[in-house]
Structures are given as C-alpha cells and as structure tokens.
Amino acid sequence: MTMRFDILTLFPEICAAYLRESILKRAQASGLLRVHLHNIRDYAADKHKMTDDLPYGGGGGMVMKPEPVFAAVEAVMREWRLEIGDSISNLQSPIILLTPQGRTFTQTVARELAHHERIALICGRYEGFDERIREHLATDEISIGDYVLTGGELAALVVVDAVTRLLPGALGDPTGAEDDSFASGLLEYPHYTRPPNFRGWTVPEVLLSGDHARIARWRRRESLRRTFLRRPDLLLKLELAEDERRFLTDVADELAGRPRPRVDSSGQGGQ
Ligand code: 6GU
C-alpha cells in the first residue's frame, strides 16, 4: 500500500526541503509514500496571481481568497479520480485545513489518518482562510498545538511525518513504531549506548546484565516513573497492574520524603 499526500501551499519549497531528507526521503524512494506539492498561486486566475485580499468589514491582515484554493483542491481531486475513479476510498479522502482553530493533532489522530490512501493538506498564510473554504471545501481542520505559526507548512510536514512513520516498513526497525512514546500511552524509558562509563557517569547495571526479563521490567518501571513525574495526565487514561500502582506509590512517597510503609516480608509479624 502506498500513501499519497497532496500539499497545497504558497511555499512548496519549504515542504520540498524537508521531504528530501532522511526517513521521508527513503519512504518515497521505496514507494511507501508519495507527496505531490501544489503551489496555490498557480491556480490564481487573475493577471496579478492574487491569492489574498482585504477582509470584508475591515480590520488588519489579509485573507486567503476562495477561488485559487478551490481550484487547486479540485485539480487534486481530478488527479485522484484519474488514479482510482470514484471509489469509496477516494470519495472519503480527507481534505484537511491546517489552522490554529482545528482539532489538536495527537498520535491518535495520526493513527486515524494512516488508514487513508489519499490526504490533501491545505496550508494557510496571512490571517486565515475565507470562511467558505472551511464550510464548503475542507472535510477536517487540524492544529498542531496551542501556539500560532506564520503558516500551515510546518504543520503539514508534522502530519506527513507522524503518519508516514506509522506505515509498516517506513522505519528501518522491524518493530516499527510500536515502542514509541504514546504507543503504550507512556513516555519512553531512558536509553543508553556505549561507552559504559562516560566522564564517570555510568550506564545502569541492569542494562548490561543480559537478563532480558529484568531489563523489560526496569524499562517498564522507568517509563512509569517518567510519565508520573512529567505527564501525570497520561496515567489517568491507563489501566495499571497492581504492582505498577504500588511502584508509583513508592515513587510518590520518595518524592514527598515519606518513609516507605513496607510490610515485613518475613511472615513473622512482630516488631
Ligand atoms: Cl496548523 N497553522 C498555524 N498557522 N499555526 C498553528 C497551527 C497551524 N497549528 C498550531 N499553530
């Protein structure tokens, strides 16, 4: 299966530069990924190639005109139709507007998008899009987070990148994306490589032990610890095992400087 993205932008070269390197370059070379870049300016019909105009009602900033954006998306849809006709998958292909007003992009959204064979991404510049683009052309609207960028290009690249690395075979590693932060709902455990002692800072002994069960348990616990300390909001969504909850209680007690209320394991009770 190959996935096709069409990026509509006033600055295709911004996107081209990122797509020419590393994993996305390799995914395209291997036929897993295709990205078609379209310059919205090429679809402006007037002699000045205008893509933006003053806002009705006054105020600052410029607004992306509807005609060139509609024309560009309709050209993309004609290309899709030439490839696969009016199949269901074609008719349901997302046409996504990238704006700070969209739904927030998460790993869950990336997984959802990875099921589609074709996706169009429309990048805005200026103050925003004429509302008719949102109402009558786009099928979805995505933001990559609560901050404002000068345009949608970086956001489009974030979407292409996050979705592509989920495609089977896109990462060199056969385990693919399954060990990622967020695949498990937890942050990743700490990683180490050689040398075992760098400036007196040593690698945790367990990782050198060759005991795979012990290593797996250590990694799971360090993921839990890191998630608890940095992103406790993520833990609320998970079902943890009894011993994992006990481990986090110990982490919390230690953090608070409380002595660990440990039961005596001798079975003798006593003082
Ligand atoms: Cl998709 N576009 C812009 N311009 N700013 C953003 C964004 C998108 N997502 C977060 N900030």
Side-chain angles (χ1 to χ4, degrees):
M1 213 271 268
T2 158
M3 178 146 191
R4 170 172 173 166
F5 284 96
D6 290 82
I7 304 180
L8 294 75
T9 165
L10 290 167
F11 298 95
E13 193 50 39
I14 295 176
C15 304
Y18 190 74
L19 296 165
R20 277 198 294 268
E21 306 284 347
S22 189
I23 305 263
L24 297 190
K25 174 187 180 178
R26 202 178 59 211
Q28 290 169 96
S30 72
L32 266 181
L33 171 70
R34 290 183 300 154
V35 185
H36 291 230
L37 301 174
H38 310 268
N39 193 332
I40 294 170
R41 194 170 302 283
D42 294 342
Y43 297 89
D46 65 298
K47 68 173 184 211
H48 295 110
K49 300 269 171 212
M50 281 232 312
T51 56
D52 62 323
D53 205 342
L54 297 165
Y56 275 118
M62 297 292 272
V63 177
M64 298 264 293
K65 292 171 66 61
E67 301 95 319
V69 177
F70 270 78
V73 169
E74 283 157 4
V76 166
M77 291 169 72
R78 278 194 296 276
E79 289 185 27
W80 289 353
R81 210 168 293 132
L82 286 175
E83 280 188 6
I84 56 166
D86 290 312
S87 71
I88 292 289
S89 87
N90 213 357
L91 299 175
Q92 292 183 346
S93 295
I95 295 171
I96 304 174
L97 216 50
L98 294 156
T99 84
Q101 289 112 62
R103 62 183 177 129
T104 307
F105 190 61
T106 62
Q107 194 65 23
T108 302
V109 176
R111 275 186 222 114
E112 168 197 321
L113 295 181
H115 292 119
H116 291 278
E117 284 183 48
R118 288 170 176 71
I119 296 175
L121 300 169
I122 311 173
C123 306
R125 285 266 151 179
Y126 319 116
E127 291 310 299
F129 293 100
D130 182 286
E131 190 65 16
R132 290 163 290 190
I133 295 170
R134 188 173 271 119
E135 285 182 331
H136 304 294
L137 187 62
T139 63
D140 197 357
E141 188 167 344
I142 286 177
S143 161
I144 61 165
D146 291 341
Y147 39 81
V148 182
L149 304 170
T150 57
E153 287 76 15
L154 288 173
L157 290 171
V158 164
V159 170
V160 172
D161 190 293
V163 171
T164 300
R165 62 188 295 296
L166 293 175
L167 304 177
L171 303 178
D173 183 347
T175 62
E178 73 202 31
D179 271 1
D180 285 351
S181 256
F182 300 112
S184 63
L186 295 174
L187 301 184
E188 279 202 42
Y189 51 79
H191 298 273
Y192 293 88
T193 186
R194 288 180 289 187
N197 183 330
F198 173 69
R199 300 186 178 180
W201 299 307
T202 54
V203 174
E205 176 278 324
V206 56
L207 297 179
L208 312 177
S209 69
D211 182 339
H212 297 297
R214 240 182 102 216
I215 291 170
R217 191 175 109 108
W218 181 86
R219 285 178 167 168
R220 173 80 185 169
R221 290 187 160 195
E222 292 309 311
S223 278
L224 286 164
R225 181 200 307 279
R226 184 162 280 189
T227 309
F228 174 73
L229 294 175
R230 298 185 183 187
R231 293 293 307 276
D233 57 303
L234 296 178
L235 286 178
L236 297 174
K237 302 173 190 167
L238 293 180
E239 295 223 13
L240 299 182
E242 175 60 30
D243 70 305
E244 294 178 330
R245 270 184 282 138
R246 212 176 316 118
F247 170 75
L248 287 178
T249 308
D250 290 348
V251 172
D253 286 343
E254 200 162 317
L255 192 70
R258 288 189 290 269
R260 289 214 267 166
R262 271 273 92 111
V263 283
D264 177 348
S265 58
S266 71
Q268 302 294 323
Q271 312 262 20

